[in-house]
Amino acid sequence: LQGANLARAASALSRYLETVRLRRVDGDHAVAASFTARQELGLIDSALVLAYLACDPLERRERLVELLRGYNLANVDDCAPVLAAQGKPCAEALLWLYRSRGAHQLALGMLTKAHCVGSGAKGGASSGWDLGEFHRWMAAYLSYLWDHMADGEIEVPLPAFLTKLKSLIEANPELGMKVLLPRAGKARGADKGPLPLDDMEVVAFLESVTPPVNAGALPDRAALSSEDLPLVNSAALAVRYIESIVYGEFLHSDAAELSPEDAARRPPLAGAAGLHNKLAYILCHRLISEREGGDPGLAMLYQRKLQRLLRESRTYDAETIMKLLPQGFYCEQALLLSRLGRHREVLRIYIKEIEEEEFAEQYCERIWRRPGPARRARPRRVPGPRRGAPRG
């Protein structure tokens, strides 16, 4: 048989095998757990893969993926070579075979543009994925591995995983960071193992990554908050990760209007003191760098983020951070001095340097508030980046 006759015969055989398979599979497990039943199901699934490959090319890819992305016992040694021989049009099916059968090292090995991305601009059944489809599948798969490595359900060589994650972040930072962020800061149950890397190790990894220079203009950027840094350098990657841990559910709250009283009523920020200090260190250095010859808009964003951390965190080392800031960053210095209890110096900054007596009065009311008749409420002003900027 060949040509159309072969395709019709393969289609009939596949329908028969699908009917037989329905009696042996219930959802994500075999109906019978015996060795013989599993062996029979493995033969059926392997035969289905071969039958689908002989079907019409327009339906081949969809039927293969539908089978292999679900519960199956197809034999990797039998099916992988014939799928690989089909090239890019069957790359997704081969990846699902490796993933579903636990051959993760093999899946990571073939997860490259050369193996998976077609030459056509839009990919398709006849040419493989387009670049966007490839990156989205890669991100979803790496997220799956990261979660299950943390739960101890999957063993994958960490260097191989990090190599793929680094290549994804360097190609599409917003998409790549989604692999790490869903688990950032989540509490671990007593029955769960440790994360594959601790938070500081993740930060060190992100600092080794080099995003593309046009990362701020990528399509995924449009869905972000105005307070999210464009991921144009490794520092921005680290800030994005640490902030997701430190602020948690309050990450996108209206931080600029948060009063010290409101901050005090919130639960303590998450993350160890070292993580808070690392965030402050990165923000200080990037703020100074952008001020001295970078992007003024980024400088303002780094400054707002630094001020928020200094207002809300209770665990950073104020003495050390004070040494990082040059003279002229008055609002940041006032926040640090307040944390150190040097209140008179705070008032001197508000009155002499910033020349905002209202800030000084509000500060006195907060620090030395005395019981008495309720004061008339009035709008509260919060020192912001403009007021705390160095004077030229």
Side-chain angles (χ1 to χ4, degrees):
L1 292 178
Q2 59 184 353
N5 291 332
L6 176 60
R8 284 195 293 271
S11 181
L13 175 60
S14 65
R15 286 195 295 271
Y16 169 73
L17 292 172
E18 287 167 351
T19 301
V20 174
R21 188 177 194 274
L22 283 174
R23 298 196 293 267
R24 288 169 165 77
V25 175
D26 180 15
D28 61 352
H29 63 278
V31 172
S34 68
F35 174 79
T36 301
R38 290 174 59 83
Q39 192 174 43
E40 289 177 354
L41 181 57
L43 291 172
I44 292 169
D45 287 344
S46 299
L48 262 175
V49 170
L50 299 177
Y52 286 155
L53 284 172
C55 290
D56 188 295
L58 293 177
E59 57 181 282
R60 174 189 303 165
R61 179 180 181 181
E62 182 178 347
R63 297 177 78 176
L64 281 168
V65 168
E66 184 179 1
L67 170 68
L68 297 174
R69 73 183 299 170
Y71 175 80
N72 73 87
L73 294 179
N75 186 285
V76 173
D77 292 337
D78 292 338
C79 297
V82 292
L83 287 171
Q86 303 299 312
K88 295 174 183 178
C90 286
E92 182 181 7
L94 181 54
L95 284 167
W96 279 114
L97 172 66
Y98 287 148
R99 172 174 170 168
S100 63
R101 304 299 294 130
H104 298 294
Q105 197 160 355
L106 293 175
L108 290 173
M110 76 160 287
L111 202 56
T112 66
K113 289 193 292 184
H115 285 106
C116 302
V117 179
S119 55
K122 295 185 178 180
S126 62
S127 62
W129 279 321
D130 63 34
L131 189 58
E133 290 172 325
F134 170 66
H135 285 153
R136 287 190 291 274
W137 197 96
M138 187 176 183
Y141 179 53
L142 293 178
S143 295
Y144 166 81
L145 290 180
W146 181 251
D147 284 350
H148 288 79
M149 287 162 66
D151 293 338
E153 298 174 11
I154 289 177
E155 291 187 8
V156 175
L158 194 55
F161 172 86
L162 293 179
T163 297
K164 293 300 176 184
L165 180 56
K166 182 176 182 179
S167 69
L168 177 60
I169 297 175
E170 291 183 336
N172 191 325
E174 296 293 348
L175 192 59
M177 286 297 291
K178 290 179 181 178
V179 174
L180 299 171
L181 295 183
R183 292 201 72 96
K186 285 190 177 180
R188 305 291 295 150
D191 59 334
K192 302 292 186 180
L195 291 166
L197 297 175
D198 66 33
D199 291 330
M200 292 301 289
E201 288 173 330
V202 172
V203 172
F205 161 72
L206 292 173
E207 289 181 318
S208 73
V209 177
T210 306
V213 294
N214 67 333
L218 291 174
D220 300 275
R221 172 73 192 156
L224 299 176
S225 160
S226 60
E227 290 299 304
D228 281 318
L229 285 167
L231 301 179
V232 295
N233 52 50
S234 59
L237 298 174
V239 169
R240 179 79 64 85
Y241 180 79
I242 298 174
E243 284 189 331
S244 71
I245 297 171
V246 168
Y247 297 118
E249 63 182 294
F250 299 111
L251 177 59
H252 293 113
S253 63
D254 195 358
E257 298 299 325
L258 187 69
S259 70
E261 292 83 357
D262 292 335
R265 283 192 287 270
R266 283 188 177 177
L269 299 182
L275 207 58
H276 291 227
N277 287 327
K278 180 66 174 180
L279 178 56
Y281 176 86
I282 296 172
L283 292 174
C284 284
H285 279 272
R286 292 308 307 176
L287 168 57
I288 294 168
S289 175
E290 298 296 343
R291 281 280 182 192
E292 290 178 348
D295 183 332
L298 277 180
M300 290 282 287
L301 189 48
Y302 278 117
Q303 191 166 22
R304 288 198 299 272
K305 288 181 174 295
L306 178 59
Q307 289 185 6
R308 179 183 184 181
L309 179 70
L310 299 183
R311 280 197 307 270
E312 297 187 38
S313 173
R314 306 175 193 175
T315 57
Y316 60 80
D317 184 341
E319 290 277 10
T320 299
I321 299 171
M322 182 76 78
K323 296 173 183 176
L324 298 176
L325 288 170
Q327 286 298 315
F329 288 89
Y330 297 123
C331 283
E332 292 77 13
Q333 289 165 346
L335 289 166
L336 290 164
L337 289 168
S338 179
R339 179 56 52 87
L340 294 169
R342 292 155 62 177
H343 304 303
R344 293 186 182 279
E345 294 176 67
V346 175
L347 293 176
R348 183 188 62 78
I349 287 177
Y350 285 157
I351 295 171
K352 298 293 187 182
E353 305 297 349
I354 300 179
E355 298 178 357
E356 283 285 2
E357 293 185 2
E358 185 177 347
F359 292 165
E361 184 178 345
Q362 289 177 354
Y363 187 77
C364 289
E365 289 177 355
R366 179 166 61 87
I367 299 300
W368 293 292
R369 181 183 291 118
R370 291 177 296 181
R375 296 178 176 84
R376 180 170 58 88
R378 62 181 176 179
R380 179 183 172 276
R381 294 176 60 199
V382 179
R386 289 182 182 276
R387 296 288 184 181
R391 295 181 177 178

